[in-house]
Amino acid sequence: MLRRAFIYLRRLKKRNISLLLVMTLVLLLLMGGIAVYSGIQNSMEMLYQGLEGHFRVSSADPSCPIDDHFIREITDENSIVRYNATNEMYLSLPDMLLIPGRFYGSGSAEEHMTRFISNTRSSDYAYFISKRYELISGSHIVDSDSGTAIISDNLANMNGYKVGDTFTAEIVESSLNLFEDTAKGKSYTFRISGIYINNYEQNVSADTAECNIEDNYIFIDNYTGKEIASYLQGNRKSVYSEGVQFFTASPRDIDKTIDKIKETMDLGAREIDTTNLVYERSEAPLQSMTLLTRIYLGIITFAGILILFGIMQIHLKARKKETAIFLSLGYKKSSIIMQHMAENLILYLLAWIIAVIFAYFAVTIFNSLFAGMSLHFAVGEACISGAIGLLVVILATLFSQLLVVRFSPRRILSTFS
Amino acid sequence: MREEKVLELQDVSYWYNKSAKILDKVQASFVSGKLYAIVGRSGSGKTTLLSLMGGLDRTMEGQILFKGKSIDDIGYEKYRRECVSFVFQNYNLIDYMTSLENVMLTSKSSPLEFLKDVGITEEEAKRNVLKLSGGQQQRVAIARAVASETPIILADEPTGNLDEKTSDEIVDLLRKQVRDKSKTVIIVTHSKEIALAADFVYKIENGSLVRADMTRT
């Protein structure tokens, strides 16, 4: 059977060239697709390694607070690399001009009141992570800071502030719900450690209160924030009204960490949010490309089967007389089919060798022409594309052999004699 | 040598349309060491009969026995491989193979000897069959049939495309198989000369196979 296959391939070279060329082309397209797919997977792996994972725990139920004790419980038992606890409060700025809003010119306390957001680390605040805000001068607030603040560039420009300047904020009557009289009038001096820019185009109307205009937001350190919060929340207890962002070493650790937290702790009404905008934004195009590449590989595989099947059918129709002769000589149909399979597999092996050599030299030439680019020729990828291509050839051959299966040996007399 | 019944047709019928049978309860037997000719006008069913005897098709009714065993029991592929071989009018050689390679399709041993026996030289044996004359190609076809060492050779108009001299040589080769190797050679033919050269002549008429008296034709 192999001898017959080799004889056929040697003697009918012209007929088999078309099949060889199509097989080689399919292989090259598969290799290209798999190379792109591998590249995307490598990029995603680098993304995993380069980006941290984080999740947020918050609570709207006063009976399930987010406080330092809760934070310690979580960080002690789990693979948390750091956290950022956040509080929000409203303080008055008697000496600072704010971006005008609803209360501008009203003479009310709200005209000078804005939102203060305290953070363990301001760089870990959600809007800084997502690049909605970006620090343009100075430095972020860190754990050890006390009496430091970061303001927006618009606020800084309005008031002629720069990094290192100070301002004062007061607790006034309308600062927050839980209000202790003893806190009224308490003032805090902050040193500006950094200035940020707001990249978000907020839709500010005449009805927007000053404390809701993002450019008026002031970020302060956790130490001072906790003290202010303890007055405003009453009972000198300090909880983090905006929850805590916990960070893991990799986005892959998030699910495992959260599962362990849920198993070992009673979270009560506390909620866990795993939205990771930076990671999702970075991953989204890679996921899209992964899907597109899979579709591309599927199309190449399917089209390869169809085209090869078509060519094989044409060749088989030209070999009807030969098939009839073999049947009249007593050859089994299975033997004839195996011969055809052997012919196609020998051709395919040749196509694979040609494709590998071509791909290797193409990559070498490409890298030499485009300095700075670094394509890699991977043996593993060549083998994977070879395996897919082999499946294509086997399926195309089997489908085409239906012609042989349905062939009647009687035709040797009726058609070919 | 004692004659052996090698092929027997028992009530063999075949049709495409049951109301118009091509073969209708054909009865015949063929023994070893004899040359048979089957004659009949065009469309009489000669090709159909040959395809049935050669195991290329199945009977609608009746059975065909090879040395007492039904082809159904033997298996059609095995029957074609070990019991019968064909010589066709159009030679039906594999056109991209040499003479030697064509004979090797049915014989693993001494293909060159079989070719020499039919008058093909060693040089001609290595040539592609399309580079041989019609007569040479038919000799190769006979060598292929002989090399399979089957007891029956079925020939369908083996001299149809050949000149008179070459035709005589081909018939002589077939007769040699009958005489020297006690094969059963059955030739379907329009040729009166071949019919006269045969030991027995059958005629297909109205779906039946009858002995023909060639002296009256």
Side-chain angles (χ1 to χ4, degrees), chain B residues 7-14 25-29 49 52-53 57-66 68-74 76 79:
Chain B
L7 200 64
E8 195 178 346
L9 280 62
Q10 292 180 349
D11 292 328
V12 169
S13 298
Y14 194 93
K25 294 193 188 308
V26 168
Q27 299 272 16
S29 59
L49 183 64
L52 292 174
M53 287 196 294
D57 206 346
R58 294 169 186 265
T59 61
M60 300 290 192
E61 277 178 359
Q63 58 179 351
I64 298 174
L65 304 177
F66 172 78
K69 204 170 175 188
S70 162
I71 298 179
D72 284 318
D73 294 335
I74 295 169
Y76 283 78
Y79 176 74

PDB file of all heavy atoms in Angstrom, chain B residues 7-14 25-29 49 52-53 57-66 68-74 76 79:
ATOM      1  N   LEU B   7     -16.991 -23.490 -12.154  1.00  0.00           N
ATOM      2  CA  LEU B   7     -17.987 -22.414 -12.028  1.00  0.00           C
ATOM      3  C   LEU B   7     -19.358 -22.962 -12.424  1.00  0.00           C
ATOM      4  O   LEU B   7     -19.476 -23.665 -13.423  1.00  0.00           O
ATOM      5  CB  LEU B   7     -17.598 -21.233 -12.919  1.00  0.00           C
ATOM      6  CG  LEU B   7     -18.218 -19.868 -12.598  1.00  0.00           C
ATOM      7  CD1 LEU B   7     -17.770 -19.384 -11.232  1.00  0.00           C
ATOM      8  CD2 LEU B   7     -17.826 -18.850 -13.663  1.00  0.00           C
ATOM      9  N   GLU B   8     -20.343 -22.650 -11.638  1.00  0.00           N
ATOM     10  CA  GLU B   8     -21.681 -23.128 -11.939  1.00  0.00           C
ATOM     11  C   GLU B   8     -22.681 -22.008 -11.696  1.00  0.00           C
ATOM     12  O   GLU B   8     -22.663 -21.371 -10.645  1.00  0.00           O
ATOM     13  CB  GLU B   8     -21.998 -24.328 -11.052  1.00  0.00           C
ATOM     14  CG  GLU B   8     -23.200 -25.109 -11.516  1.00  0.00           C
ATOM     15  CD  GLU B   8     -23.450 -26.331 -10.645  1.00  0.00           C
ATOM     16  OE1 GLU B   8     -22.547 -26.707  -9.861  1.00  0.00           O
ATOM     17  OE2 GLU B   8     -24.551 -26.884 -10.720  1.00  0.00           O
ATOM     18  N   LEU B   9     -23.541 -21.786 -12.671  1.00  0.00           N
ATOM     19  CA  LEU B   9     -24.613 -20.813 -12.537  1.00  0.00           C
ATOM     20  C   LEU B   9     -25.921 -21.567 -12.319  1.00  0.00           C
ATOM     21  O   LEU B   9     -26.296 -22.411 -13.130  1.00  0.00           O
ATOM     22  CB  LEU B   9     -24.722 -19.939 -13.794  1.00  0.00           C
ATOM     23  CG  LEU B   9     -23.747 -18.778 -13.954  1.00  0.00           C
ATOM     24  CD1 LEU B   9     -22.303 -19.231 -14.037  1.00  0.00           C
ATOM     25  CD2 LEU B   9     -24.102 -17.924 -15.152  1.00  0.00           C
ATOM     26  N   GLN B  10     -26.575 -21.242 -11.210  1.00  0.00           N
ATOM     27  CA  GLN B  10     -27.815 -21.939 -10.881  1.00  0.00           C
ATOM     28  C   GLN B  10     -28.963 -20.939 -10.830  1.00  0.00           C
ATOM     29  O   GLN B  10     -29.052 -20.115  -9.912  1.00  0.00           O
ATOM     30  CB  GLN B  10     -27.693 -22.638  -9.530  1.00  0.00           C
ATOM     31  CG  GLN B  10     -26.728 -23.812  -9.520  1.00  0.00           C
ATOM     32  CD  GLN B  10     -26.651 -24.462  -8.141  1.00  0.00           C
ATOM     33  OE1 GLN B  10     -27.156 -23.937  -7.156  1.00  0.00           O
ATOM     34  NE2 GLN B  10     -26.024 -25.624  -8.072  1.00  0.00           N
ATOM     35  N   ASP B  11     -29.806 -20.994 -11.816  1.00  0.00           N
ATOM     36  CA  ASP B  11     -31.023 -20.147 -11.897  1.00  0.00           C
ATOM     37  C   ASP B  11     -30.698 -18.676 -11.673  1.00  0.00           C
ATOM     38  O   ASP B  11     -31.371 -17.981 -10.927  1.00  0.00           O
ATOM     39  CB  ASP B  11     -32.061 -20.587 -10.860  1.00  0.00           C
ATOM     40  CG  ASP B  11     -32.629 -21.959 -11.199  1.00  0.00           C
ATOM     41  OD1 ASP B  11     -32.740 -22.284 -12.386  1.00  0.00           O
ATOM     42  OD2 ASP B  11     -32.959 -22.723 -10.250  1.00  0.00           O
ATOM     43  N   VAL B  12     -29.661 -18.241 -12.328  1.00  0.00           N
ATOM     44  CA  VAL B  12     -29.216 -16.848 -12.143  1.00  0.00           C
ATOM     45  C   VAL B  12     -30.112 -15.896 -12.938  1.00  0.00           C
ATOM     46  O   VAL B  12     -30.315 -16.070 -14.130  1.00  0.00           O
ATOM     47  CB  VAL B  12     -27.741 -16.694 -12.580  1.00  0.00           C
ATOM     48  CG1 VAL B  12     -27.364 -15.225 -12.654  1.00  0.00           C
ATOM     49  CG2 VAL B  12     -26.818 -17.457 -11.639  1.00  0.00           C
ATOM     50  N   SER B  13     -30.655 -14.936 -12.215  1.00  0.00           N
ATOM     51  CA  SER B  13     -31.473 -13.902 -12.867  1.00  0.00           C
ATOM     52  C   SER B  13     -30.961 -12.525 -12.473  1.00  0.00           C
ATOM     53  O   SER B  13     -30.429 -12.342 -11.373  1.00  0.00           O
ATOM     54  CB  SER B  13     -32.938 -14.014 -12.443  1.00  0.00           C
ATOM     55  OG  SER B  13     -33.467 -15.250 -12.846  1.00  0.00           O
ATOM     56  N   TYR B  14     -31.192 -11.574 -13.388  1.00  0.00           N
ATOM     57  CA  TYR B  14     -30.784 -10.190 -13.124  1.00  0.00           C
ATOM     58  C   TYR B  14     -31.697  -9.272 -13.899  1.00  0.00           C
ATOM     59  O   TYR B  14     -32.078  -9.562 -15.037  1.00  0.00           O
ATOM     60  CB  TYR B  14     -29.324  -9.968 -13.536  1.00  0.00           C
ATOM     61  CG  TYR B  14     -28.731  -8.681 -12.997  1.00  0.00           C
ATOM     62  CD1 TYR B  14     -28.045  -8.671 -11.799  1.00  0.00           C
ATOM     63  CD2 TYR B  14     -28.868  -7.475 -13.698  1.00  0.00           C
ATOM     64  CE1 TYR B  14     -27.508  -7.499 -11.293  1.00  0.00           C
ATOM     65  CE2 TYR B  14     -28.333  -6.302 -13.195  1.00  0.00           C
ATOM     66  CZ  TYR B  14     -27.657  -6.318 -11.991  1.00  0.00           C
ATOM     67  OH  TYR B  14     -27.111  -5.153 -11.482  1.00  0.00           O
ATOM     68  N   LYS B  25     -33.118 -16.961 -15.107  1.00  0.00           N
ATOM     69  CA  LYS B  25     -32.860 -18.344 -14.669  1.00  0.00           C
ATOM     70  C   LYS B  25     -31.805 -19.033 -15.555  1.00  0.00           C
ATOM     71  O   LYS B  25     -32.032 -20.106 -16.111  1.00  0.00           O
ATOM     72  CB  LYS B  25     -34.160 -19.136 -14.660  1.00  0.00           C
ATOM     73  CG  LYS B  25     -35.151 -18.623 -13.615  1.00  0.00           C
ATOM     74  CD  LYS B  25     -36.288 -19.612 -13.398  1.00  0.00           C
ATOM     75  CE  LYS B  25     -37.395 -19.070 -12.518  1.00  0.00           C
ATOM     76  NZ  LYS B  25     -36.944 -18.526 -11.235  1.00  0.00           N
ATOM     77  N   VAL B  26     -30.665 -18.398 -15.636  1.00  0.00           N
ATOM     78  CA  VAL B  26     -29.575 -18.946 -16.450  1.00  0.00           C
ATOM     79  C   VAL B  26     -28.949 -20.133 -15.727  1.00  0.00           C
ATOM     80  O   VAL B  26     -28.646 -20.083 -14.544  1.00  0.00           O
ATOM     81  CB  VAL B  26     -28.515 -17.859 -16.719  1.00  0.00           C
ATOM     82  CG1 VAL B  26     -27.262 -18.450 -17.305  1.00  0.00           C
ATOM     83  CG2 VAL B  26     -29.087 -16.766 -17.623  1.00  0.00           C
ATOM     84  N   GLN B  27     -28.739 -21.185 -16.473  1.00  0.00           N
ATOM     85  CA  GLN B  27     -28.081 -22.391 -15.949  1.00  0.00           C
ATOM     86  C   GLN B  27     -26.862 -22.648 -16.801  1.00  0.00           C
ATOM     87  O   GLN B  27     -26.962 -22.677 -18.022  1.00  0.00           O
ATOM     88  CB  GLN B  27     -29.021 -23.607 -16.078  1.00  0.00           C
ATOM     89  CG  GLN B  27     -30.313 -23.494 -15.321  1.00  0.00           C
ATOM     90  CD  GLN B  27     -30.194 -23.999 -13.898  1.00  0.00           C
ATOM     91  OE1 GLN B  27     -29.091 -24.159 -13.372  1.00  0.00           O
ATOM     92  NE2 GLN B  27     -31.323 -24.268 -13.269  1.00  0.00           N
ATOM     93  N   ALA B  28     -25.716 -22.845 -16.194  1.00  0.00           N
ATOM     94  CA  ALA B  28     -24.511 -23.149 -16.966  1.00  0.00           C
ATOM     95  C   ALA B  28     -23.451 -23.650 -16.024  1.00  0.00           C
ATOM     96  O   ALA B  28     -23.472 -23.353 -14.829  1.00  0.00           O
ATOM     97  CB  ALA B  28     -24.014 -21.920 -17.709  1.00  0.00           C
ATOM     98  N   SER B  29     -22.519 -24.417 -16.557  1.00  0.00           N
ATOM     99  CA  SER B  29     -21.372 -24.849 -15.749  1.00  0.00           C
ATOM    100  C   SER B  29     -20.138 -24.811 -16.626  1.00  0.00           C
ATOM    101  O   SER B  29     -20.202 -25.027 -17.835  1.00  0.00           O
ATOM    102  CB  SER B  29     -21.609 -26.234 -15.151  1.00  0.00           C
ATOM    103  OG  SER B  29     -21.840 -27.177 -16.169  1.00  0.00           O
ATOM    104  N   LEU B  49     -23.678 -10.683 -17.520  1.00  0.00           N
ATOM    105  CA  LEU B  49     -23.294 -12.047 -17.153  1.00  0.00           C
ATOM    106  C   LEU B  49     -21.848 -12.091 -16.692  1.00  0.00           C
ATOM    107  O   LEU B  49     -21.503 -12.718 -15.689  1.00  0.00           O
ATOM    108  CB  LEU B  49     -23.506 -12.983 -18.347  1.00  0.00           C
ATOM    109  CG  LEU B  49     -23.210 -14.459 -18.089  1.00  0.00           C
ATOM    110  CD1 LEU B  49     -24.192 -15.012 -17.051  1.00  0.00           C
ATOM    111  CD2 LEU B  49     -23.291 -15.269 -19.385  1.00  0.00           C
ATOM    112  N   LEU B  52     -21.433 -10.632 -13.253  1.00  0.00           N
ATOM    113  CA  LEU B  52     -21.916 -11.542 -12.208  1.00  0.00           C
ATOM    114  C   LEU B  52     -20.922 -12.680 -11.986  1.00  0.00           C
ATOM    115  O   LEU B  52     -20.606 -13.023 -10.847  1.00  0.00           O
ATOM    116  CB  LEU B  52     -23.286 -12.115 -12.588  1.00  0.00           C
ATOM    117  CG  LEU B  52     -24.450 -11.114 -12.620  1.00  0.00           C
ATOM    118  CD1 LEU B  52     -25.709 -11.786 -13.153  1.00  0.00           C
ATOM    119  CD2 LEU B  52     -24.706 -10.541 -11.254  1.00  0.00           C
ATOM    120  N   MET B  53     -20.417 -13.251 -13.084  1.00  0.00           N
ATOM    121  CA  MET B  53     -19.466 -14.366 -12.948  1.00  0.00           C
ATOM    122  C   MET B  53     -18.167 -13.878 -12.327  1.00  0.00           C
ATOM    123  O   MET B  53     -17.466 -14.637 -11.662  1.00  0.00           O
ATOM    124  CB  MET B  53     -19.179 -14.979 -14.322  1.00  0.00           C
ATOM    125  CG  MET B  53     -20.334 -15.801 -14.861  1.00  0.00           C
ATOM    126  SD  MET B  53     -19.850 -16.893 -16.226  1.00  0.00           S
ATOM    127  CE  MET B  53     -19.433 -15.721 -17.482  1.00  0.00           C
ATOM    128  N   ASP B  57     -20.825  -7.870  -9.378  1.00  0.00           N
ATOM    129  CA  ASP B  57     -22.188  -7.512  -9.030  1.00  0.00           C
ATOM    130  C   ASP B  57     -22.860  -8.743  -8.423  1.00  0.00           C
ATOM    131  O   ASP B  57     -22.338  -9.852  -8.516  1.00  0.00           O
ATOM    132  CB  ASP B  57     -22.933  -7.021 -10.283  1.00  0.00           C
ATOM    133  CG  ASP B  57     -24.080  -6.078  -9.937  1.00  0.00           C
ATOM    134  OD1 ASP B  57     -24.472  -6.002  -8.750  1.00  0.00           O
ATOM    135  OD2 ASP B  57     -24.603  -5.417 -10.867  1.00  0.00           O
ATOM    136  N   ARG B  58     -24.008  -8.528  -7.802  1.00  0.00           N
ATOM    137  CA  ARG B  58     -24.717  -9.628  -7.160  1.00  0.00           C
ATOM    138  C   ARG B  58     -25.933 -10.030  -7.982  1.00  0.00           C
ATOM    139  O   ARG B  58     -26.586  -9.184  -8.588  1.00  0.00           O
ATOM    140  CB  ARG B  58     -25.193  -9.197  -5.769  1.00  0.00           C
ATOM    141  CG  ARG B  58     -24.073  -8.927  -4.814  1.00  0.00           C
ATOM    142  CD  ARG B  58     -24.594  -8.260  -3.547  1.00  0.00           C
ATOM    143  NE  ARG B  58     -23.465  -7.875  -2.702  1.00  0.00           N
ATOM    144  CZ  ARG B  58     -22.985  -8.615  -1.703  1.00  0.00           C
ATOM    145  NH1 ARG B  58     -23.544  -9.766  -1.399  1.00  0.00           N
ATOM    146  NH2 ARG B  58     -21.956  -8.210  -0.997  1.00  0.00           N
ATOM    147  N   THR B  59     -26.228 -11.322  -7.958  1.00  0.00           N
ATOM    148  CA  THR B  59     -27.419 -11.795  -8.664  1.00  0.00           C
ATOM    149  C   THR B  59     -28.676 -11.347  -7.948  1.00  0.00           C
ATOM    150  O   THR B  59     -28.668 -11.142  -6.732  1.00  0.00           O
ATOM    151  CB  THR B  59     -27.422 -13.329  -8.745  1.00  0.00           C
ATOM    152  OG1 THR B  59     -27.434 -13.847  -7.395  1.00  0.00           O
ATOM    153  CG2 THR B  59     -26.186 -13.857  -9.463  1.00  0.00           C
ATOM    154  N   MET B  60     -29.741 -11.178  -8.713  1.00  0.00           N
ATOM    155  CA  MET B  60     -31.043 -10.861  -8.111  1.00  0.00           C
ATOM    156  C   MET B  60     -31.719 -12.133  -7.611  1.00  0.00           C
ATOM    157  O   MET B  60     -32.367 -12.150  -6.563  1.00  0.00           O
ATOM    158  CB  MET B  60     -31.966 -10.191  -9.139  1.00  0.00           C
ATOM    159  CG  MET B  60     -31.417  -8.898  -9.698  1.00  0.00           C
ATOM    160  SD  MET B  60     -31.401  -7.577  -8.475  1.00  0.00           S
ATOM    161  CE  MET B  60     -31.062  -6.161  -9.508  1.00  0.00           C
ATOM    162  N   GLU B  61     -31.507 -13.175  -8.404  1.00  0.00           N
ATOM    163  CA  GLU B  61     -32.045 -14.486  -8.015  1.00  0.00           C
ATOM    164  C   GLU B  61     -30.996 -15.524  -8.368  1.00  0.00           C
ATOM    165  O   GLU B  61     -30.161 -15.318  -9.247  1.00  0.00           O
ATOM    166  CB  GLU B  61     -33.329 -14.796  -8.807  1.00  0.00           C
ATOM    167  CG  GLU B  61     -34.584 -14.180  -8.235  1.00  0.00           C
ATOM    168  CD  GLU B  61     -35.810 -14.484  -9.098  1.00  0.00           C
ATOM    169  OE1 GLU B  61     -35.677 -15.164 -10.145  1.00  0.00           O
ATOM    170  OE2 GLU B  61     -36.906 -14.031  -8.729  1.00  0.00           O
ATOM    171  N   GLY B  62     -31.059 -16.673  -7.718  1.00  0.00           N
ATOM    172  CA  GLY B  62     -30.131 -17.750  -8.025  1.00  0.00           C
ATOM    173  C   GLY B  62     -28.783 -17.522  -7.392  1.00  0.00           C
ATOM    174  O   GLY B  62     -28.589 -16.593  -6.601  1.00  0.00           O
ATOM    175  N   GLN B  63     -27.829 -18.389  -7.720  1.00  0.00           N
ATOM    176  CA  GLN B  63     -26.501 -18.240  -7.148  1.00  0.00           C
ATOM    177  C   GLN B  63     -25.439 -18.721  -8.119  1.00  0.00           C
ATOM    178  O   GLN B  63     -25.708 -19.471  -9.054  1.00  0.00           O
ATOM    179  CB  GLN B  63     -26.406 -19.031  -5.831  1.00  0.00           C
ATOM    180  CG  GLN B  63     -26.692 -20.513  -5.965  1.00  0.00           C
ATOM    181  CD  GLN B  63     -26.547 -21.219  -4.636  1.00  0.00           C
ATOM    182  OE1 GLN B  63     -26.082 -20.692  -3.621  1.00  0.00           O
ATOM    183  NE2 GLN B  63     -26.938 -22.493  -4.611  1.00  0.00           N
ATOM    184  N   ILE B  64     -24.256 -18.274  -7.836  1.00  0.00           N
ATOM    185  CA  ILE B  64     -23.099 -18.686  -8.617  1.00  0.00           C
ATOM    186  C   ILE B  64     -22.154 -19.394  -7.664  1.00  0.00           C
ATOM    187  O   ILE B  64     -21.831 -18.871  -6.592  1.00  0.00           O
ATOM    188  CB  ILE B  64     -22.400 -17.475  -9.271  1.00  0.00           C
ATOM    189  CG1 ILE B  64     -23.367 -16.781 -10.241  1.00  0.00           C
ATOM    190  CG2 ILE B  64     -21.112 -17.901  -9.988  1.00  0.00           C
ATOM    191  CD1 ILE B  64     -22.842 -15.500 -10.843  1.00  0.00           C
ATOM    192  N   LEU B  65     -21.767 -20.611  -8.077  1.00  0.00           N
ATOM    193  CA  LEU B  65     -20.907 -21.414  -7.220  1.00  0.00           C
ATOM    194  C   LEU B  65     -19.525 -21.524  -7.821  1.00  0.00           C
ATOM    195  O   LEU B  65     -19.381 -21.763  -9.020  1.00  0.00           O
ATOM    196  CB  LEU B  65     -21.501 -22.825  -7.065  1.00  0.00           C
ATOM    197  CG  LEU B  65     -22.928 -22.916  -6.533  1.00  0.00           C
ATOM    198  CD1 LEU B  65     -23.402 -24.370  -6.510  1.00  0.00           C
ATOM    199  CD2 LEU B  65     -23.030 -22.338  -5.144  1.00  0.00           C
ATOM    200  N   PHE B  66     -18.527 -21.375  -6.992  1.00  0.00           N
ATOM    201  CA  PHE B  66     -17.145 -21.598  -7.373  1.00  0.00           C
ATOM    202  C   PHE B  66     -16.688 -22.859  -6.653  1.00  0.00           C
ATOM    203  O   PHE B  66     -16.622 -22.873  -5.413  1.00  0.00           O
ATOM    204  CB  PHE B  66     -16.260 -20.404  -7.002  1.00  0.00           C
ATOM    205  CG  PHE B  66     -14.792 -20.650  -7.206  1.00  0.00           C
ATOM    206  CD1 PHE B  66     -14.239 -20.593  -8.475  1.00  0.00           C
ATOM    207  CD2 PHE B  66     -13.962 -20.961  -6.131  1.00  0.00           C
ATOM    208  CE1 PHE B  66     -12.884 -20.841  -8.675  1.00  0.00           C
ATOM    209  CE2 PHE B  66     -12.608 -21.205  -6.324  1.00  0.00           C
ATOM    210  CZ  PHE B  66     -12.072 -21.153  -7.600  1.00  0.00           C
ATOM    211  N   GLY B  68     -18.275 -25.402  -6.041  1.00  0.00           N
ATOM    212  CA  GLY B  68     -19.318 -25.845  -5.139  1.00  0.00           C
ATOM    213  C   GLY B  68     -19.657 -24.864  -4.035  1.00  0.00           C
ATOM    214  O   GLY B  68     -20.594 -25.087  -3.255  1.00  0.00           O
ATOM    215  N   LYS B  69     -18.921 -23.755  -3.931  1.00  0.00           N
ATOM    216  CA  LYS B  69     -19.181 -22.818  -2.843  1.00  0.00           C
ATOM    217  C   LYS B  69     -19.713 -21.500  -3.423  1.00  0.00           C
ATOM    218  O   LYS B  69     -19.182 -20.977  -4.406  1.00  0.00           O
ATOM    219  CB  LYS B  69     -17.884 -22.554  -2.085  1.00  0.00           C
ATOM    220  CG  LYS B  69     -18.080 -22.093  -0.670  1.00  0.00           C
ATOM    221  CD  LYS B  69     -16.748 -22.094   0.065  1.00  0.00           C
ATOM    222  CE  LYS B  69     -16.968 -21.488   1.455  1.00  0.00           C
ATOM    223  NZ  LYS B  69     -15.709 -21.270   2.158  1.00  0.00           N
ATOM    224  N   SER B  70     -20.757 -20.987  -2.791  1.00  0.00           N
ATOM    225  CA  SER B  70     -21.381 -19.761  -3.288  1.00  0.00           C
ATOM    226  C   SER B  70     -20.439 -18.561  -3.123  1.00  0.00           C
ATOM    227  O   SER B  70     -19.692 -18.485  -2.137  1.00  0.00           O
ATOM    228  CB  SER B  70     -22.680 -19.519  -2.512  1.00  0.00           C
ATOM    229  OG  SER B  70     -23.087 -18.198  -2.650  1.00  0.00           O
ATOM    230  N   ILE B  71     -20.506 -17.641  -4.092  1.00  0.00           N
ATOM    231  CA  ILE B  71     -19.669 -16.431  -3.997  1.00  0.00           C
ATOM    232  C   ILE B  71     -20.027 -15.652  -2.740  1.00  0.00           C
ATOM    233  O   ILE B  71     -19.160 -15.049  -2.100  1.00  0.00           O
ATOM    234  CB  ILE B  71     -19.858 -15.533  -5.244  1.00  0.00           C
ATOM    235  CG1 ILE B  71     -19.426 -16.257  -6.505  1.00  0.00           C
ATOM    236  CG2 ILE B  71     -19.047 -14.251  -5.095  1.00  0.00           C
ATOM    237  CD1 ILE B  71     -19.618 -15.426  -7.771  1.00  0.00           C
ATOM    238  N   ASP B  72     -21.305 -15.663  -2.354  1.00  0.00           N
ATOM    239  CA  ASP B  72     -21.732 -14.972  -1.130  1.00  0.00           C
ATOM    240  C   ASP B  72     -20.969 -15.492   0.070  1.00  0.00           C
ATOM    241  O   ASP B  72     -20.558 -14.730   0.940  1.00  0.00           O
ATOM    242  CB  ASP B  72     -23.237 -15.182  -0.894  1.00  0.00           C
ATOM    243  CG  ASP B  72     -24.061 -14.320  -1.829  1.00  0.00           C
ATOM    244  OD1 ASP B  72     -23.696 -13.151  -2.023  1.00  0.00           O
ATOM    245  OD2 ASP B  72     -25.061 -14.828  -2.391  1.00  0.00           O
ATOM    246  N   ASP B  73     -20.753 -16.810   0.092  1.00  0.00           N
ATOM    247  CA  ASP B  73     -20.054 -17.414   1.230  1.00  0.00           C
ATOM    248  C   ASP B  73     -18.553 -17.131   1.176  1.00  0.00           C
ATOM    249  O   ASP B  73     -17.898 -16.985   2.200  1.00  0.00           O
ATOM    250  CB  ASP B  73     -20.299 -18.930   1.258  1.00  0.00           C
ATOM    251  CG  ASP B  73     -21.754 -19.266   1.532  1.00  0.00           C
ATOM    252  OD1 ASP B  73     -22.440 -18.429   2.157  1.00  0.00           O
ATOM    253  OD2 ASP B  73     -22.216 -20.353   1.091  1.00  0.00           O
ATOM    254  N   ILE B  74     -18.028 -17.115  -0.047  1.00  0.00           N
ATOM    255  CA  ILE B  74     -16.584 -16.864  -0.188  1.00  0.00           C
ATOM    256  C   ILE B  74     -16.269 -15.406   0.177  1.00  0.00           C
ATOM    257  O   ILE B  74     -15.256 -15.109   0.789  1.00  0.00           O
ATOM    258  CB  ILE B  74     -16.127 -17.156  -1.639  1.00  0.00           C
ATOM    259  CG1 ILE B  74     -16.291 -18.644  -1.956  1.00  0.00           C
ATOM    260  CG2 ILE B  74     -14.663 -16.740  -1.847  1.00  0.00           C
ATOM    261  CD1 ILE B  74     -16.115 -18.989  -3.425  1.00  0.00           C
ATOM    262  N   TYR B  76     -17.061 -11.459  -1.866  1.00  0.00           N
ATOM    263  CA  TYR B  76     -16.845 -10.960  -3.217  1.00  0.00           C
ATOM    264  C   TYR B  76     -15.421 -10.475  -3.452  1.00  0.00           C
ATOM    265  O   TYR B  76     -14.832 -10.707  -4.513  1.00  0.00           O
ATOM    266  CB  TYR B  76     -17.875  -9.867  -3.546  1.00  0.00           C
ATOM    267  CG  TYR B  76     -19.228 -10.440  -3.858  1.00  0.00           C
ATOM    268  CD1 TYR B  76     -20.085 -10.870  -2.851  1.00  0.00           C
ATOM    269  CD2 TYR B  76     -19.631 -10.626  -5.169  1.00  0.00           C
ATOM    270  CE1 TYR B  76     -21.311 -11.444  -3.151  1.00  0.00           C
ATOM    271  CE2 TYR B  76     -20.862 -11.193  -5.482  1.00  0.00           C
ATOM    272  CZ  TYR B  76     -21.695 -11.603  -4.464  1.00  0.00           C
ATOM    273  OH  TYR B  76     -22.904 -12.179  -4.758  1.00  0.00           O
ATOM    274  N   TYR B  79     -13.215 -13.470  -3.625  1.00  0.00           N
ATOM    275  CA  TYR B  79     -13.489 -14.186  -4.866  1.00  0.00           C
ATOM    276  C   TYR B  79     -12.749 -13.539  -6.032  1.00  0.00           C
ATOM    277  O   TYR B  79     -12.118 -14.209  -6.837  1.00  0.00           O
ATOM    278  CB  TYR B  79     -14.999 -14.192  -5.111  1.00  0.00           C
ATOM    279  CG  TYR B  79     -15.415 -14.813  -6.419  1.00  0.00           C
ATOM    280  CD1 TYR B  79     -15.380 -16.195  -6.606  1.00  0.00           C
ATOM    281  CD2 TYR B  79     -15.867 -14.022  -7.472  1.00  0.00           C
ATOM    282  CE1 TYR B  79     -15.765 -16.765  -7.808  1.00  0.00           C
ATOM    283  CE2 TYR B  79     -16.262 -14.582  -8.674  1.00  0.00           C
ATOM    284  CZ  TYR B  79     -16.212 -15.945  -8.831  1.00  0.00           C
ATOM    285  OH  TYR B  79     -16.593 -16.503 -10.040  1.00  0.00           O
TER     286      TYR B  79
END
